[in-house]
Amino acid sequence: MRIQRRLRSTGLALAASASLVVGGVCALAPDAAAAGDTRDGPTVTIGDGSAHSYVTVGGDGTPTATGIRMTAAALDGLTSAADVPMQMFRLALPQDAPETVFDHLTVDWNPHGHEPAGVFTKPHFDMHFYMIDSAAVGEITPMRLDFIPRASNVPPARYMPAGYAPAPGPAVLNTVPDMGMHWFDSADRIGPGFDFQQVLIAGSWDGAYTFMEPMMTRDWMLTRQSVEQQIRQPEAYAKSGYYPTTYSARFDESSNEYVVEFGGMVLRAAS
């Protein structure tokens, strides 16, 4: 999330031997990937370490979780240059895994934090789990002639997580280029005085629910604490696919990695 950048710049068919079509892309059928294992995406260098995506596969061949594994060394050697507001690292999902609703992931390092002032100004990571492809994300720019109407097109409440709401003010001013509009859980009471350590945010663009975003400070990660919670669910889903019901972040001592995961995947049908 980088609010300071704002305005700068079908039916579902499923059978044992069939594929699931999600967002127009053919997902692997259950027998197309080995069941009961973990598939890893390509490794990307971050700081002095690295990160990669992964998808876990259940015994029936369907996805059970997807997430990011980031080595402990990735928190070292990161830029703190005053002229670098953010570094983005794109993580492709493993091609040989069954598909979830997620298209690709990014890890964004914010060395100076970002707006709102006094809320998210600590050095931290934003981890976007996008439900649209990178080309669609790249089209979220105020340079396009239809940016104002598309940014102002807020999704129907039933398609966004229950209890979430966008920041106060016009939607167009709260839409971040190359990301979208950010929504906050009202239970978190995000605002002046909020003690930002880690939080889960949702996002939208042009009338659609487009990403889930864990945010966590570098200092919080260094404590190697854990968090696990149920994800607030929408009343309905605009796109069919496997959606997560749980979110967790922890440090895996055995592999010396930070693990950020969306799990408890459930197949949802568009309605």
Side-chain angles (χ1 to χ4, degrees):
M1 176 178 175
R2 295 205 53 79
I3 298 178
Q4 77 268 37
R5 294 178 54 196
R6 69 177 63 149
L7 298 184
R8 281 195 316 188
S9 326
T10 243
L12 181 67
L14 181 64
S17 60
S19 296
L20 171 66
V21 177
V22 179
V25 179
C26 184
L28 296 177
D31 61 355
D37 66 359
T38 298
R39 297 301 176 97
D40 294 324
T43 297
V44 173
T45 298
I46 298 179
D48 291 338
S50 64
H52 68 269
S53 69
Y54 67 88
V55 174
T56 59
V57 185
D60 61 354
T62 61
T64 59
T66 186
I68 295 169
R69 281 186 169 268
M70 189 160 61
T71 63
L75 271 62
D76 299 322
L78 295 162
T79 183
S80 59
D83 61 344
V84 179
M86 184 189 79
Q87 282 186 305
M88 186 190 74
F89 305 90
R90 181 175 286 108
L91 305 182
L93 288 164
Q95 294 185 355
D96 58 350
E99 291 186 1
T100 70
V101 72
F102 299 121
D103 178 86
H104 69 285
L105 321 178
T106 65
V107 174
D108 303 337
W109 165 239
N110 300 272
H112 317 293
H114 53 65
E115 296 180 4
V119 179
F120 296 129
T121 45
K122 299 175 183 178
H124 70 272
F125 289 95
D126 300 338
M127 301 178 185
H128 290 83
F129 286 63
Y130 282 107
M131 294 178 274
I132 55 177
D133 63 30
S134 56
V137 173
E139 291 178 356
I140 305 174
T141 168
M143 299 302 292
R144 58 182 308 138
L145 297 177
D146 59 352
F147 179 77
I148 292 178
R150 295 186 72 176
S152 301
N153 182 19
V154 179
R158 70 182 184 277
Y159 289 136
M160 294 302 294
Y164 274 67
V172 67
L173 296 182
N174 289 318
T175 299
V176 183
D178 299 318
M179 292 183 190
M181 186 165 68
H182 293 73
W183 297 58
F184 307 101
D185 187 340
S186 58
D188 290 330
R189 300 183 181 276
I190 293 175
F194 176 68
D195 182 20
F196 172 43
Q197 302 296 323
Q198 64 81 31
V199 68
L200 181 59
I201 292 174
S204 69
W205 164 249
D206 194 19
Y209 183 15
T210 54
F211 65 82
M212 300 179 195
E213 180 188 358
M215 294 174 57
M216 57 197 72
T217 68
R218 179 178 180 275
D219 284 347
W220 181 83
M221 294 178 72
L222 288 172
T223 66
R224 300 187 176 181
Q225 297 180 64
S226 298
V227 61
E228 185 171 359
Q229 66 186 63
Q230 297 292 313
I231 298 173
R232 292 182 182 268
Q233 299 296 306
E235 177 185 333
Y237 301 84
K239 182 171 68 172
S240 298
Y242 283 92
Y243 287 79
T245 59
T246 63
Y247 157 67
S248 64
R250 62 185 176 85
F251 186 78
D252 185 345
E253 296 284 356
S254 64
S255 64
N256 205 34
E257 293 175 317
Y258 295 94
V259 184
V260 178
E261 179 175 285
F262 285 103
M265 293 288 177
V266 175
L267 182 60
R268 309 290 193 183
S271 63

